[in-house]
Amino acid sequence: MKTAIWLYLFLFLAVFDLHAQYPILTPFAISLGAAPTFIGWMMGIYSLTHLPGNLIAGTQIDKHGSRRYIVFSLLGAGFILLLQAYVQTPWQLLALRSISGFVLAFLSPACLALLAQLSSDPVKQGKYMSGHGVVHTLASVVSPAAGAIIVGSMGFSATFSGLGYLLILTGVIAFMTMPRGIVKQQERVTEPAKPDASPADATSAFLPVSWRYFALPLVIACAQGILFFELPLRGGGQSSIMSTGLLFSIISIGALFTLSMLFLNRYSPKLRLVAGVLLMSLCFFVMAAIPQVPLSTVLFVLGMSKGIIFPAMATLFIRLSGGSKLGRIFSLQSIATSIGSFIGPITAGQLRVGLSPYFIAFLLLMIGMLLLPYYTSRREASLSDPKSILN
């Protein structure tokens, strides 16, 4: 439990630091002379460079544990933000964002794998995932508005420098406080699960569940990428940084609202996942087809869908994988998320004139929901606890 508390603290500081950049990156790029199309590529390249990091993280986290990769991500991202405070051209910003994408690719799968491996009890694993969602959401509630306020009072350079120092401090604290023995603890939890595994089992363990499950994080990330691209550019890019930060905070408040509904954990994670994606897709449809509905209301409901989706998705992957090779499972999830985050803003930047990007997000979410396997295969059922999936 002590390790979980420390990890939640690191997650809070890291998420606060990263989400504080959401409302300010687009205005900062515009101040450097970047066009909307270039901004789409800048946001997309960050996610594209996640891919090699995710591929490396998958096997290395299972082999060495999560500690070193959490520290590496926090320190590396902090130093990059310090350099970002001194960029002068859009191309320099693009280069730093691409490096940052690779460095931060290790953070999410390492944290999720560590939390899942702190206990082999499915109930406790679900609580850890819910705690992860609550901490993530709490940080993202205050960080966008805080980032906008800091920029308004200190400017872009001082804001990036301050955020960079915060990440570096978080990385140093993680290095000093996370126990080195956590690697051995993880090995004891995960390795005995399949003592008689054959070479064929070892080969298939990299993808122990259907690829169709990974279509959902891809389309969800694509839809979120479209949203993060479009919100700062609404009204032709004349909206204030402060109002954009408040809108991002409204999304997080909506997520916190559903995360606090602990009774939702009693339902099947697959059922929760479908309900959350359906609710999110309807929000994008409303933004595309019924602009009369207040944007803040739609974003609050969209945040509610996120609070349903992400804990359910993490729990579903843990149960379907049977608790083994969690680093690889969450790495594959991060890869799908990176691809979606790359496609989303680029698509929005290219097609926003002739077609509402929000409608594209709606279509993608519906396609992803249709691809989700609604009948658990025998192989997946044997890897997981059937009772825990149905209940």
Side-chain angles (χ1 to χ4, degrees):
M1 186 62 186
K2 181 180 178 181
T3 301
I5 293 174
W6 276 113
L7 189 57
Y8 287 149
L9 175 62
F10 303 147
L11 283 170
F12 180 88
L13 294 175
V15 171
F16 177 90
D17 201 295
L18 298 174
H19 281 239
Q21 300 181 61
Y22 282 164
I24 65 179
L25 272 176
T26 295
F28 179 58
I30 292 176
S31 71
L32 297 176
T37 302
F38 185 90
I39 295 172
W41 279 99
M42 180 194 71
M43 297 177 68
I45 200 69
Y46 172 88
S47 301
L48 183 64
T49 54
H50 257 55
L51 293 176
N54 291 149
L55 290 170
I56 297 172
T59 55
Q60 296 304 307
I61 290 173
D62 287 331
K63 182 177 180 181
H64 301 292
S66 300
R67 177 179 179 271
R68 65 181 65 183
Y69 298 102
I70 293 174
V71 173
F72 166 74
S73 290
L74 293 173
L75 292 179
F79 283 115
I80 292 170
L81 273 175
L82 293 182
L83 295 176
Q84 191 170 304
Y86 299 98
V87 300
Q88 300 294 326
T89 67
W91 288 103
Q92 292 175 348
L93 181 60
L94 178 70
L96 287 178
R97 291 294 293 169
S98 64
I99 299 172
S100 179
F102 174 80
V103 169
L104 286 170
F106 298 85
L107 185 60
S108 179
C111 290
L112 288 172
L114 178 56
L115 280 174
Q117 292 165 344
L118 290 177
S119 174
S120 58
D121 181 20
V123 176
K124 289 185 178 180
Q125 286 178 338
K127 291 181 179 179
Y128 284 137
M129 291 301 123
S130 296
H132 172 272
V134 170
V135 170
H136 188 285
T137 304
L138 282 173
S140 60
V141 166
V142 296
S143 55
I149 293 173
I150 296 172
V151 166
S153 59
M154 301 176 60
F156 290 115
S157 295
T159 300
F160 290 134
S161 296
L163 295 175
Y165 285 123
L166 178 60
L167 272 183
I168 291 174
L169 177 62
T170 305
V172 171
I173 295 174
F175 177 78
M176 296 175 62
T177 57
M178 290 187 67
R180 297 179 181 273
I182 194 69
V183 176
K184 295 181 180 180
Q185 178 184 353
Q186 291 174 346
E187 289 172 353
R188 288 196 301 268
V189 172
T190 58
E191 293 301 326
K194 291 187 179 181
D196 300 324
S198 64
D201 293 332
T203 303
S204 62
F206 193 89
L207 187 59
V209 297
S210 171
W211 65 268
R212 293 163 63 185
Y213 285 103
F214 296 98
L216 266 185
L218 189 150
V219 298
I220 291 170
C222 187
Q224 285 195 122
I226 290 173
L227 181 67
F228 293 159
F229 176 83
E230 281 293 312
L231 278 185
L233 291 177
R234 72 192 192 285
Q238 300 301 317
S239 60
S240 68
I241 297 176
M242 176 59 72
S243 64
T244 302
L246 291 175
L247 289 176
F248 280 116
S249 293
I250 287 173
I251 298 174
S252 299
I253 293 172
L256 185 62
F257 179 76
T258 46
L259 282 169
S260 64
M261 299 179 180
L262 300 179
F263 66 89
L264 293 177
N265 293 326
R266 301 175 183 176
Y267 297 96
S268 162
K270 188 178 291 187
L271 176 62
R272 285 183 281 148
L273 190 58
V274 172
V277 174
L278 179 60
L279 184 61
M280 179 179 285
S281 64
L282 291 176
C283 290
F284 279 104
F285 180 81
V286 170
M287 286 191 288
I290 316 176
Q292 296 83 2
V293 178
L295 183 60
S296 58
T297 301
V298 180
L299 292 179
F300 180 83
V301 177
L302 191 147
M304 291 176 59
S305 70
K306 291 181 61 178
I308 298 172
I309 288 171
F310 291 106
M313 186 183 300
T315 303
L316 183 63
F317 279 131
I318 292 172
R319 295 181 181 180
L320 291 176
S321 66
S324 63
K325 305 299 181 183
L326 290 170
R328 300 185 185 187
I329 290 294
F330 288 121
S331 175
L332 289 169
Q333 179 186 346
S334 296
I335 289 172
T337 300
S338 299
I339 295 174
S341 299
F342 172 70
I343 296 173
I346 291 178
T347 302
Q350 298 293 329
L351 302 178
R352 68 189 306 264
V353 177
L355 181 65
S356 171
Y358 295 137
F359 187 72
I360 297 174
F362 164 73
L363 291 178
L364 289 173
L365 288 169
M366 295 301 293
I367 293 172
M369 193 165 56
L370 291 174
L371 287 175
L372 183 68
Y374 289 95
Y375 295 96
T376 305
S377 67
R378 292 183 178 179
R379 181 173 179 273
E380 290 171 352
S382 66
L383 286 170
S384 58
D385 180 5
K387 294 182 180 179
S388 65
I389 294 176
L390 296 175
N391 296 324

